[in-house]
Amino acid sequence: MAELITIGEPLVLFASNEEGVSLEQATSFTKYLAGAEVNVAVGVTRLNHKVDYVSAVGNDPFGKFIKQAIEDRNIDTAHLYIDNNYPTGCMFKSKTSTGDPTTFYLRRGSAAAHMSEDILDSIELKGLKWAHITGILPGILENSKVINKLVDKLKKANVSISFDPNLRPAIWSNEESMISKITDLAKEARLVMPGIKEGKILTGEKEPGEIAEKFFDQSSITEIVVIKLGPSGAMVFNRGQDKGIMVSGFKVNNVVDTVGAGDGFAVGLLSGILEGKPIEEAVKRGNAIGAMAVMSPGDNDGYPDPIMLEHFYEEAKEQ
Ligand code: KDG
């Protein structure tokens, strides 16, 4: 029985092998499994939790690659639908060890974008504790009723929602609708985990405490807001407590690729919560896995198993 469910679009990622070369000029790429929600499913599974993943891919070579990659990572593909009419989403990424890479998508109208409400009918929610959703899902879906039905179903089954805004302006027609749809979804979540820049865009506030307050004010469901501050760590805010708690990040000497770090953070935070750890310890694990993620090229290849995580804690230095 799964403890966590995630739903979103898996992408086939072509990551350039040529440091400092633009996507336009790059000629050599390596193929990976990517997609924010599948990244979280991979990481939490690797830490020995049972995760259910819901999505759709095309009946094409990349859909087959994704299905196999998910199965290879020990995740059940019973709810990964193969769509004969629409293609699998693709993403391209440049290579840079300084700052964030350039990304480019070929995903509009993909199989995942065409997920219908029916896709939710066969999902078993019994025994589930958490559902992880990101702001990418409302940005790609052609039919917004899927989100409404998902949220209703989760609420009826008393499944808590964890929500990562994952702002991706490239998939939205304009910023206004991105902010309004993502804010609506955040209101349904018990746990919200924006990056500091995302928090500022979504709430119009500047300081972590003010951002968290805005998330609490707009929803009676949100209990925890964790604001990611990049390499320096994250701040945790619990509803009703005056002050946030700063949890330091870890020093990383060799940044290979920053994409996937936020999902790595979610992996640590959610797996810690599933294991009943105090929230600060879960956030510390989030910081650790975020740091591990930036040291490898694919989105999710750097996520640890429990032994690797232990080794990291033994050797890593906090900021
Ligand atoms: O968080 C990592 C994701 O950004 C990446 O895997 C691709 O899901 C993705 C997206 O939509 O950007």
Side-chain angles (χ1 to χ4, degrees):
M1 198 189 290
E3 297 164 84
L4 171 73
I5 192 169
T6 72
I7 171 165
E9 178 169 38
L11 298 165
V12 58
L13 161 66
F14 292 91
S16 163
N17 298 319
E18 297 154 274
E19 171 75 32
V21 176
S22 69
L23 276 181
E24 207 178 316
Q25 301 293 335
T27 54
S28 159
F29 294 85
T30 302
K31 187 157 93 220
Y32 294 95
L33 167 69
E37 304 80 2
V38 79
N39 287 342
V40 173
V42 167
V44 176
T45 303
R46 209 166 276 161
L47 290 167
N48 297 333
H49 295 278
K50 176 114 178 56
V51 184
D52 203 355
Y53 177 63
V54 182
S55 194
V57 289
N59 189 2
D60 53 38
F62 298 143
K64 289 182 184 128
F65 163 76
I66 285 174
K67 184 167 187 284
Q68 189 61 54
I70 292 176
E71 281 168 1
D72 290 348
R73 286 158 180 79
N74 299 318
I75 300 168
D76 189 354
T77 48
H79 298 118
L80 180 72
Y81 295 90
I82 310 293
D83 189 319
N84 287 321
N85 298 313
Y86 302 103
T88 304
C90 293
M91 173 176 168
F92 301 82
K93 179 165 82 172
S94 68
K95 182 173 168 146
T96 174
S97 49
T98 51
D100 295 330
T102 305
T103 55
F104 177 72
Y105 301 120
L106 290 177
R107 71 193 307 186
R108 188 157 301 158
S110 67
H114 281 94
M115 279 191 280
S116 73
E117 293 156 84
D118 306 345
I119 210 162
L120 304 172
D121 288 340
S122 63
I123 301 174
E124 180 54 82
L125 298 180
K126 221 173 91 211
L128 266 179
K129 296 178 184 150
W130 285 87
H132 182 69
I133 310 175
T134 87
I136 296 170
L137 190 63
I140 60 142
L141 282 175
E142 302 270 333
N143 174 2
S144 59
K145 287 195 191 130
V146 178
I147 299 266
N148 303 340
K149 179 164 170 183
L150 175 67
V151 169
D152 280 356
K153 238 179 118 90
L154 294 170
K155 273 185 173 164
K156 281 198 189 110
N158 275 325
V159 178
S160 300
I161 296 177
S162 86
F163 182 67
D164 182 342
N166 262 340
L167 300 190
R168 302 282 184 270
I171 60 173
W172 292 92
S173 52
N174 60 66
E175 185 170 286
E176 215 181 355
S177 82
M178 174 179 83
I179 293 177
S180 112
K181 294 251 173 63
I182 290 187
T183 303
D184 281 350
L185 200 43
K187 289 179 190 164
E188 306 290 352
R190 185 165 153 210
L191 166 65
V192 183
M193 50 176 104
I196 180 80
K197 279 193 207 145
E198 295 175 326
K200 286 180 186 173
I201 294 172
L202 290 172
T203 65
E205 302 292 348
K206 285 202 176 75
E207 297 303 321
E210 296 163 350
I211 294 170
E213 212 40 59
K214 204 71 179 256
F215 281 112
F216 290 132
D217 285 352
Q218 72 194 14
S219 159
S220 57
I221 297 172
T222 305
E223 284 174 14
I224 307 168
V225 176
V226 180
I227 302 188
K228 295 172 274 186
L229 303 171
S232 59
M235 279 192 92
V236 193
F237 296 87
N238 292 295
R239 179 184 284 279
Q241 283 179 2
D242 284 352
K243 283 199 171 153
I245 305 157
M246 178 68 202
V247 183
S248 298
F250 292 88
K251 286 206 170 81
V252 176
N253 299 322
N254 50 333
V255 175
V256 175
D257 173 33
T258 54
V259 182
D263 303 329
F265 180 87
V267 167
L269 178 54
L270 286 170
S271 62
I273 290 175
L274 289 174
E275 289 163 31
K277 307 264 184 231
I279 188 74
E280 283 127 279
E281 208 176 305
V283 172
K284 181 176 168 183
R285 188 189 283 187
N287 287 338
I289 300 181
M292 294 175 90
V294 303
M295 293 191 264
S296 67
D299 277 19
N300 54 57
D301 298 304
Y303 298 168
D305 62 22
I307 295 170
M308 287 157 71
L309 184 61
E310 259 335 291
H311 284 164
F312 179 84
Y313 278 138
E314 279 159 22
E315 282 163 23
K317 294 199 175 57
E318 287 183 26
Q319 293 276 5

